[in-house]
Amino acid sequence: MNVGIVGLGYVGLPLAVSFCEAGHNVVGVDVDPRKVDALKRAKSYIEDVPSETLEAISERLCASLRFADLTRCDAVIIAVPTPLTRNREPDLGPLLAASAAIAAVLQRGQLVVLESTTYPGTTRERLVPLLEESGLAAGSDFNLAFSPERVDPGRTDYSMRNTPKVVGGLTEACLARAAALYGEICEEIVPVSTPEVAELTKLLENIFRSVNIALVNELAMLCDRMNIDIWEVVDAASTKPYGFMRFEPGPGMGGHCLPVDPFYLAWRAREFGSPTDFIELAGEVNQAMPRFCAEKVTRALNETSKPVRGSRIAILGVSYKSGVGDLRESPALKIMDILSEQGGELCYHDAYVPALADFDLRSEPLADALDDCDVAVIVTAHPGLDLDLVTDRAPIIVDFRGVTAGKYSREVVRL
């Protein structure tokens, strides 16, 4: 097959690689000329896709800025960002722009699949009218489906092939066509009755995590007042062999899904007169965590009669999760903003993030970051973080990931 992919980021590029490795040709379209240029040189900008992999598929992957190149494709997959506006409402700008561009080159008999996370009804109510401006009818002249991405950056135990793929088509024929497409790269296809079911499935997956993380984060804030170790509580509760699932507190949620998806559903629910108070409250609790964590750092300094202003604060780990360099919605950046506004002198160590342009900082070797620091703050505990060195050099340690729990005799301020 010839497969077109619009959007060559964390979702689209691994998808392109999977189809190429399965023996198909891929036309990858992106509006960012830097990405297109990098792919033409077989240079990867995604951690999960090594440049060596791009070199191996270079004859099958054609990167382009031109939507017109999609005319020769059998299927076109949309994998563009679906962020939030400043008012925490869905921003479908990139998706609608991509859909309009596809409509201008859409061919009879093509399959279009949306993978971008969005609210229920987007495929039917927003994509269909746009694509039908081509003069072709959805479901008869071209096929249309929704299949949510399930990319987890840095994960190695589950890949595109062994992660079940949910697919919902506009018609039975659309579903069959999309299922056949993904059957080329996925071991298990999970067909559902409509695009709306598939759209809400993705939101449920992430809202489930958001709500449970919010619960344990709220307990962490309560435990802070009650002088109870939340990590010991979670460890003890996790010994129950049934009826309990472990979730851990943290400095806040980051990435491309968890901080965004609850607000997509909450916004859509209001259109139906059914506010999702529980889901929205969970989002608010998680959004409050960076400020709570910054206050923990302030209190830790105060305990040694030091103000934030003028103190050297070493931030250990700035990406949103362990083992990757992804900064999207990273709580570390929000914590750094707050401490910087209070006059803190920041430095950081992160082997996965060489520089933070917004702070005019570069990652320092761990030993250098700890030298003369007044407090070391563990925000993201990457693999290989030398905790022995941290505990030996840092006069104060604030641990937001629980990695020091039960391991060191010295006093550590924990979440």
Side-chain angles (χ1 to χ4, degrees):
M1 289 186 296
N2 292 317
V3 180
I5 298 177
V6 179
L8 298 172
Y10 285 87
V11 175
L13 186 56
L15 197 60
V17 169
S18 293
F19 277 109
C20 288
E21 290 180 337
H24 304 289
N25 298 316
V26 173
V27 175
V29 176
D30 202 287
V31 296
D32 186 346
R34 294 170 299 178
K35 290 181 180 178
V36 171
D37 178 65
L39 292 176
K40 287 181 177 179
R41 294 182 290 110
K43 299 299 181 184
S44 180
Y45 44 85
I46 301 293
E47 286 174 292
D48 290 348
V49 180
S51 294
E52 294 77 14
T53 299
L54 294 181
E55 291 175 3
I57 63 169
S58 59
E59 292 186 0
R60 290 194 174 276
L61 175 60
C62 173
S64 175
L65 295 167
R66 301 174 64 250
F67 280 81
D69 291 338
L70 298 172
T71 56
R72 64 178 186 268
C73 294
D74 302 296
V76 177
I77 299 172
I78 305 172
V80 298
T82 45
L84 294 171
T85 67
R86 288 186 176 182
N87 296 324
R88 313 303 289 180
E89 293 183 347
D91 179 5
L92 296 184
L95 172 57
L96 299 181
S99 300
I102 292 169
V105 298
L106 189 63
Q107 303 295 301
R108 187 179 301 274
Q110 282 185 325
L111 164 67
V112 179
V113 184
L114 174 60
E115 285 216 6
S116 306
T117 303
T118 186
Y119 58 81
T122 301
T123 304
R124 192 182 303 272
E125 298 171 16
R126 305 303 299 271
L127 258 66
V128 168
L130 270 176
L131 295 176
E132 288 188 338
E133 290 182 4
S134 63
L136 303 175
S140 54
D141 295 327
F142 68 93
N143 296 120
L144 181 62
F146 181 86
S147 181
E149 56 87 6
R150 281 175 165 173
V151 173
D152 189 4
R155 187 150 200 160
T156 57
D157 52 344
Y158 285 100
S159 63
M160 193 81 66
R161 179 154 293 279
N162 66 352
T163 300
K165 197 79 170 84
V166 175
V167 181
L170 195 65
T171 65
E172 286 294 328
C174 294
L175 172 60
R177 183 106 180 267
L181 171 70
Y182 286 109
E184 295 292 315
I185 60 171
C186 300
E187 294 173 354
E188 181 181 353
I189 305 299
V190 182
V192 295
S193 59
T194 64
E196 289 82 1
V197 171
E199 290 162 338
L200 187 53
T201 296
K202 171 63 175 179
L203 296 183
L204 173 59
E205 292 168 6
N206 288 327
I207 290 170
F208 170 78
R209 293 194 63 212
S210 172
V211 166
N212 282 281
I213 291 171
L215 170 63
V216 75
N217 276 340
E218 191 163 61
L219 284 176
M221 289 188 276
L222 174 61
C223 285
D224 183 66
R225 293 290 186 90
M226 299 175 70
N227 197 27
I228 297 173
D229 186 343
I230 182 61
W231 297 98
E232 186 177 2
V233 172
V234 171
D235 286 343
S238 298
T239 63
K240 185 179 181 181
Y242 56 89
F244 183 82
M245 182 178 292
R246 184 186 180 100
F247 286 86
E248 297 182 348
M253 295 191 306
H256 65 299
C257 288
L258 293 189
V260 174
D261 294 1
F263 295 98
Y264 263 69
L265 184 59
W267 177 85
R268 182 61 164 166
R270 287 194 291 272
E271 289 193 339
F272 288 82
S274 181
T276 52
D277 297 337
F278 186 61
I279 295 172
E280 292 186 74
L281 179 59
E284 292 170 7
V285 169
N286 290 325
Q287 281 187 310
M289 289 306 293
R291 185 162 295 279
F292 173 76
C293 289
E295 291 171 358
K296 291 275 287 186
V297 176
T298 300
R299 295 205 310 259
L301 286 167
N302 285 343
E303 288 294 320
T304 59
S305 302
K306 291 184 177 181
V308 172
R309 185 171 299 279
S311 291
R312 177 173 161 86
I313 302 171
I315 304 295
L316 307 184
V318 297
S319 60
Y320 87 88
K321 66 179 287 190
S322 175
V324 301
D326 195 338
L327 290 171
R328 289 175 296 174
E329 301 288 334
S330 174
L333 305 183
K334 299 168 188 175
I335 293 170
M336 292 175 72
D337 271 330
I338 295 168
L339 295 174
S340 178
E341 288 172 0
Q342 295 176 2
E345 297 179 2
L346 303 178
C347 64
Y348 84 96
H349 166 74
D350 191 314
Y352 295 81
V353 182
L356 292 175
D358 289 347
F359 293 90
D360 194 25
L361 294 173
R362 295 195 65 83
S363 177
E364 300 182 12
L366 181 58
D368 293 351
L370 295 172
D371 280 347
D372 300 322
C373 78
D374 294 295
V375 59
V377 185
I378 302 174
V379 183
T380 302
H382 287 302
L385 177 63
D386 189 344
L387 292 174
D388 291 332
L389 183 62
V390 175
T391 55
D392 182 56
R393 296 278 190 91
I396 307 172
I397 301 171
V398 181
D399 176 12
F400 294 139
R401 294 295 182 177
V403 292
T404 61
K407 297 178 181 177
Y408 297 94
S409 58
R410 63 166 292 184
E411 187 69 22
V412 176
V413 178
R414 297 188 182 91
L415 186 60

